[in-house]
Amino acid sequence: MRVLVTGGTGHSGSYIIPELIAAGHEVTGLARSDASAAALSALGATVRRGDLQDLDGLKEAAADSDGVIHVAHRQDLLPTGGINAVAAAEIPVMLAYGEALAGTGKPLVAAGSIGSSGQLGRPATEEDPALLVGDEHKGTLHARNVVETTVIGLAEQGVRSSVVRIANISHGTSDRAGFLPMLIALAKQNGFASYPGDGTNLWNAVHTRDLASLFRLALEKGEAGSYWHAVEDEGIPFREIAEAIGSRLDLPVVSIPMDELMLPGHYGFIANIVTKSYPVSNNITRRTLGWEPTQPSLLADLDNGHYFPEGRS
């Protein structure tokens, strides 16, 4: 297939492009700068200059392709508009893809969040739709759910659209700005690793190489209107993640009281995320697409050294 990939030089995209090429696909990557163009060429992709604001260019690029994988977002909007602005800017992009691919049955695979179905009190499955966005979700990760529902809705227009819900932690050698580097930096700054309350809330994780293989499988054979769960570790107690960080940094591990002042004071803007529990199932993804994660689990990957190049303190 001739595949258009956006966000091809990012944490996920830099794994997705080699995965697609190794499977025999031809990849075109969208580049808005000379540096991105050079990085895409180094990965083996054909470069198409443009950006997410050029909707006509995106429609043309999508129409010229046999399928689209979208893992880009307007990160430049975060400082001034937050996640709401980022989500709002993605809607016209998805609609542009829909216009270009309508009635073709071609695939559009977009990145989503494993927490988009909300706090269900049980493991989330691929059959759980994204939580509808209300005023109470402004400024939270759920604000982006409108992007997922837009993508899923394109299935009604003859687009083989689906969403890959990405785990809380997508770990690997290119992870520079995810939640795990944030937690490691926080531990270094404070001189101790931490967890909220008793730390029994569950987080999930996936290696980015396994994430890339799932995007490829969703592109190749994913059914229209489907969600896929890019999760290997389906539920790790947050305390175990903190203990692993503390062990590798040779730092103590402490509990942060579940207090409305203590938690934001310690965790900052991620306090609301850190305290939640995200149990999840990947059974439908494995069974339907034949996806089998083969890379190290989160705790095993922490032993590989790339998150702690300086070694133990």
Side-chain angles (χ1 to χ4, degrees), residues 9-259:
T9 61
H11 175 44
S12 301
S14 59
Y15 283 88
I16 291 171
I17 288 177
E19 171 75 21
L20 293 172
I21 292 173
H25 300 296
E26 298 176 14
V27 178
T28 295
L30 190 70
R32 63 177 180 175
S33 69
D34 291 341
S36 293
L40 288 170
S41 294
L43 290 170
T46 299
V47 175
R48 185 180 184 114
R49 297 303 293 259
D51 59 45
L52 297 181
Q53 299 177 71
D54 179 10
L55 298 181
D56 288 336
L58 286 177
K59 285 190 286 188
E60 182 179 323
D64 289 343
S65 303
D66 298 317
V68 177
I69 290 180
H70 179 89
V71 291
H73 63 275
R74 290 284 307 281
Q75 191 170 358
D76 60 297
L77 296 176
L78 279 173
T80 56
I83 191 66
N84 294 330
V86 175
E90 277 193 83
I91 299 302
V93 173
M94 299 306 163
L95 295 177
Y97 292 145
E99 187 176 336
L101 303 177
T104 66
K106 292 180 179 179
L108 165 63
V109 185
S113 170
I114 203 65
S116 65
S117 55
Q119 302 292 302
L120 302 173
R122 57 164 175 79
T125 77
E126 297 88 336
E127 295 178 335
D128 293 314
L131 188 70
L132 294 178
V133 178
D135 289 341
E136 68 274 22
H137 301 120
K138 289 182 178 179
T140 73
L141 289 178
H142 287 309
R144 196 179 174 279
N145 287 5
V146 66
V147 180
E148 297 189 23
T149 55
T150 299
V151 172
I152 295 300
L154 293 176
E156 298 178 1
Q157 300 178 27
V159 181
R160 186 158 59 85
S161 58
S162 64
V163 170
V164 172
R165 287 171 167 166
I166 301 176
N168 293 50
I169 296 176
S170 175
H171 55 96
T173 56
S174 63
D175 184 12
R176 299 288 183 269
F179 287 126
L180 191 54
M182 289 182 191
L183 294 173
I184 293 170
L186 190 64
K188 291 179 179 178
Q189 171 187 312
N190 293 324
F192 58 87
S194 63
Y195 55 88
D198 60 10
T200 58
N201 57 308
L202 301 177
W203 270 39
N204 47 71
V206 67
H207 194 285
T208 315
R209 289 192 185 279
D210 289 321
L211 171 66
S213 71
L214 180 52
F215 268 97
R216 175 182 59 80
L217 289 169
L219 178 88
E220 292 173 345
K221 54 184 180 179
E223 297 176 0
S226 298
Y227 284 103
W228 312 111
H229 282 181
V231 173
E232 177 183 11
D233 296 298
E234 295 178 316
I236 310 172
F238 197 93
R239 180 171 182 165
E240 292 186 14
I241 299 174
E243 288 171 342
I245 292 172
S247 172
R248 286 150 183 83
L249 292 175
D250 199 19
L251 293 174
V253 182
V254 303
S255 166
I256 304 300
M258 297 285 282
D259 181 273

